[in-house]
Amino acid sequence: MTRHVVIAGYGMVGARLAEEIRRRDGRRVRLTVIGAEPYPAYNRILLSSLLSGGFEESRVLTHDAGWAFRHRVDLRLGVRVEGIDADARKIELSDGSVLPYDDLVLATGSVPRLPSVQGLDGEGVSAFRDLDDCRRIRSLADVSVAVLGGGVLGVEVACALAERGVRVTVVHPAAVPMDRQLDAAGGSVVASMLSRLGVGLCFGRRATGWRPGDGLLLDDGELLPADALVVTAGVVPETALARAASVEVNVGVVVDDRLATSRPGIFAIGDCAEFQGAVPGLVQPGWDQAEVLADLLTGADPGARYVGTPSVTRLKAHGIDLVSLGSFTGGEELSFCDARRGRYARLSLDGDKVVGAAILGLPDAGAAITQHFVRGTPAPSDRMGFLLGRALPPEGVAAGGPSRLPAAAEICRCNRVTKRQLVHAWQSGARTVERLATATRATTGCGSCVDAVDGICSWLAAADTSPDSSADAELAG
Ligand SMILES: Cc1cc2nc3c(=O)[nH]c(=O)nc-3n(C[C@H](O)[C@H](O)[C@H](O)COP(=O)(O)OP(=O)(O)OC[C@H]3O[C@@H](n4cnc5c(N)ncnc54)[C@H](O)[C@@H]3O)c2cc1C
């Protein structure tokens, strides 16, 4: 019997769920996706890189215009789900239509949090959440911009604008940027790097009002002159639909390990969902949830359960290589700071397990520590070498070159793609980074593995012309 699955939200997680369902299901699921934005699915996390001007807009699109037709998805763009009748299993859409469903998945994401600062509804103010915001901010030229909020997103936006030659100042209430990820020492290193990029810093100050045409008023009465304001003060899960349908909501829509909400037939995944009290606001948990839910909705694995996702945050800004993971609650703590060279590392261990880390300017250490954290494998006993990225056999491409990487090394963490999968895809005919991306999904997450995949591509191309191909040998073994 055919089931009608309706996904409310065609963002990074709703789009991924649709893909995962179609990967598993031939004919049994009738699939409808409702997307409030008028665009085909795109990679939201690449918007800060798009803002810096690094590439064309088409590169952030994850689905082309024909995707829905090819995959038998009834895709309705620029349409909102306005209401849910959970008893009758029907939804109301903004175009006036009413749609029955068997299973409804809320993938409505989150919306920018607007702090209580006067005038934020005035001219010249923009959030930074979607493609329209990005286009608006990209069009700013020859102006001065204030960025309200110095968290990860605020730092990314400031760096991107500075790279475009825009005068930019970050206003942040804490003494250092990214204080949720970094302590005072690490935050100071990032602050120095921002200064070197030409970003103005206004830390330890609160904004009180926005005056269009003048600038941003600060809590000590000073006016920071600015033509435009970009608000990057966090996000709030989009839960209005769920609340109105009497679905249990805490901060996010509360779900169990089957991603089920408190009302039968309604599920929630991604930024809008709260699992075990956490609303991570990162894409990886949403993609993991999409896999589990696709298993359940298609019947591919009725026993699938979501068990949580280790939290890893990466900063995507030119010249600042930062990874932050877990939390600093362990018993053993190590740290290192070389502020002049922009290097900083802090590691927290519980026994031999990595429970928290913030690594700046040490990419090999960042990659190795992340792998131990995600896999739960014991940290090496040479703690200082581990902290600085020197204790391990080469895990990072930079450390040993692709040929020395083990076949099981995870190259794209967002999509869990190993070197072995890339080599297989290459041997099946995917001979460019773009084709490898289509075949394996590598590089289609945060994009930080593009150089690594490119390196593997070049190595495989060279190996192809060599009589003694290490790629073949490795796969055979
Ligand atoms: C600039 C930027 C950089 C980021 N960088 C990272 C990063 O490096 N790593 C990371 O893990 N995360 C990052 N994030 C966060 C990441 O983008 C989110 O975690 C991810 O997009 C969540 O996916 P989602 O589908 O749950 O929500 P979204 O991607 O927000 O999609 C939700 C969609 O639902 C639509 N919608 C809402 N309500 C309705 C309705 N009633 N009817 C129909 N449609 C509706 C919305 O319009 C939206 O299109 C970043 C976010 C931004 C903005």
Side-chain angles (χ1 to χ4, degrees):
M1 203 181 74
T2 309
R3 287 190 78 75
H4 186 199
V5 174
V6 176
I7 304 174
Y10 183 47
M12 293 195 71
V13 173
R16 179 58 73 107
L17 175 64
E19 287 175 16
E20 294 294 341
I21 286 177
R22 280 299 177 245
R23 279 183 166 208
R24 288 161 178 76
D25 172 73
R27 296 275 153 198
R28 275 170 305 153
V29 171
R30 182 181 145 213
L31 189 53
T32 302
V33 180
I34 315 292
E37 293 185 71
Y39 311 107
Y42 62 89
N43 186 336
R44 199 175 299 285
I45 69 185
L46 289 183
L47 289 182
S48 21
S49 309
L50 180 63
L51 183 63
S52 69
F55 46 75
E56 292 302 307
E57 200 172 285
S58 57
R59 217 188 107 187
V60 304
L61 296 181
T62 44
H63 289 168
D64 59 51
W67 176 87
F69 178 76
R70 289 197 306 278
H71 293 87
R72 292 175 295 106
V73 175
D74 177 2
L75 174 62
R76 310 202 187 175
L77 292 181
V79 178
R80 293 188 71 80
V81 178
E82 297 276 7
I84 306 169
D85 180 341
D87 296 325
R89 297 207 179 194
K90 285 182 183 159
I91 53 171
E92 251 175 69
L93 305 185
S94 56
D95 62 6
S97 52
V98 172
L99 209 58
Y101 66 82
D102 294 303
D103 301 298
L104 173 65
V105 183
L106 302 175
T108 50
S110 46
V111 289
R113 189 178 78 81
L114 292 183
S116 53
V117 172
Q118 281 182 355
L120 291 190
D121 52 355
E123 223 173 280
V125 181
S126 182
F128 189 55
R129 179 71 192 174
D130 59 29
L131 198 49
D132 287 339
D133 296 332
C134 188
R135 285 179 177 169
R136 196 177 315 115
I137 300 168
R138 254 185 132 188
S139 70
L140 297 172
D142 219 13
V143 292
S144 57
V145 176
V147 173
L148 184 53
V152 178
L153 191 57
V155 170
E156 285 187 5
V157 169
C159 291
L161 288 171
E163 236 185 289
R164 296 173 72 86
V166 172
R167 278 165 285 134
V168 55
T169 303
V170 180
V171 179
H172 188 56
V176 292
M178 298 179 51
D179 48 299
R180 283 178 63 185
Q181 286 81 21
L182 298 170
D183 61 7
S188 307
V189 178
V190 173
S192 317
M193 297 175 92
L194 288 172
S195 293
R196 281 201 287 275
L197 291 170
V199 174
L201 308 178
C202 207
F203 291 157
R205 317 275 283 283
R206 285 182 183 278
T208 55
W210 169 249
R211 287 198 196 148
D214 290 335
L216 192 63
L217 266 178
L218 303 178
D219 50 3
D220 57 3
E222 192 193 331
L223 178 78
L224 174 71
D227 305 300
L229 177 68
V230 181
V231 182
T232 53
V235 291
V236 185
E238 176 56 274
T239 58
L241 269 179
R243 278 182 204 280
S246 303
V247 173
E248 187 189 349
V249 174
N250 185 28
V251 176
V253 182
V254 176
V255 293
D256 63 14
D257 60 1
R258 293 164 51 254
L259 289 321
T261 69
S262 60
R263 302 219 54 178
I266 304 183
F267 301 82
I269 54 174
D271 272 16
C272 70
E274 175 177 325
F275 175 71
Q276 293 182 347
V279 189
L282 296 169
V283 78
Q284 189 69 56
W287 283 358
D288 290 348
Q289 292 165 357
E291 285 199 25
V292 171
L293 192 53
D295 278 340
L296 294 171
L297 294 179
T298 59
D301 179 3
R305 296 291 180 267
Y306 179 65
V307 292
T309 304
S311 133
V312 179
T313 306
R314 284 193 183 77
L315 183 76
K316 301 175 300 301
H318 189 69
I320 307 182
D321 187 328
L322 173 71
V323 60
S324 150
L325 46 90
S327 55
F328 292 92
T329 51
E332 186 185 341
E333 198 160 305
L334 293 100
S335 60
F336 164 84
C337 186
D338 176 3
R340 269 188 63 198
R341 288 170 193 80
R343 293 187 296 191
Y344 163 86
R346 184 175 173 209
L347 177 63
S348 178
L349 297 145
D350 183 2
D352 272 345
K353 282 209 156 176
V354 175
V355 292
I359 312 288
L360 176 64
L362 295 161
D364 287 345
I369 290 170
T370 303
Q371 289 214 2
H372 280 272
F373 174 68
V374 171
R375 292 177 186 168
T377 45
S381 54
D382 174 5
R383 298 287 206 252
M384 192 46 81
F386 185 45
L387 185 71
L388 303 179
R390 293 191 200 122
L392 299 173
E395 293 251 19
V397 170
S403 64
R404 293 182 60 198
L405 277 175
E410 206 167 75
I411 307 299
C412 173
R413 207 194 70 81
C414 298
N415 289 293
R416 307 227 166 86
V417 183
T418 60
K419 176 183 158 191
R420 178 181 287 114
Q421 288 168 296
L422 288 166
V423 174
H424 272 300
W426 171 278
Q427 293 183 329
S428 308
R431 299 285 163 117
T432 61
V433 174
E434 290 71 30
R435 291 202 171 145
L436 285 171
T438 307
T440 65
R441 287 178 169 164
T443 76
T444 62
C446 72
S448 62
C449 64
V450 170
D451 288 347
V453 175
D454 193 34
I456 287 174
C457 219
S458 308
W459 163 66
L460 288 168
D464 254 6
T465 57
S466 147
D468 171 27
S469 167
S470 55
D472 283 344
E474 191 171 287
L475 280 172

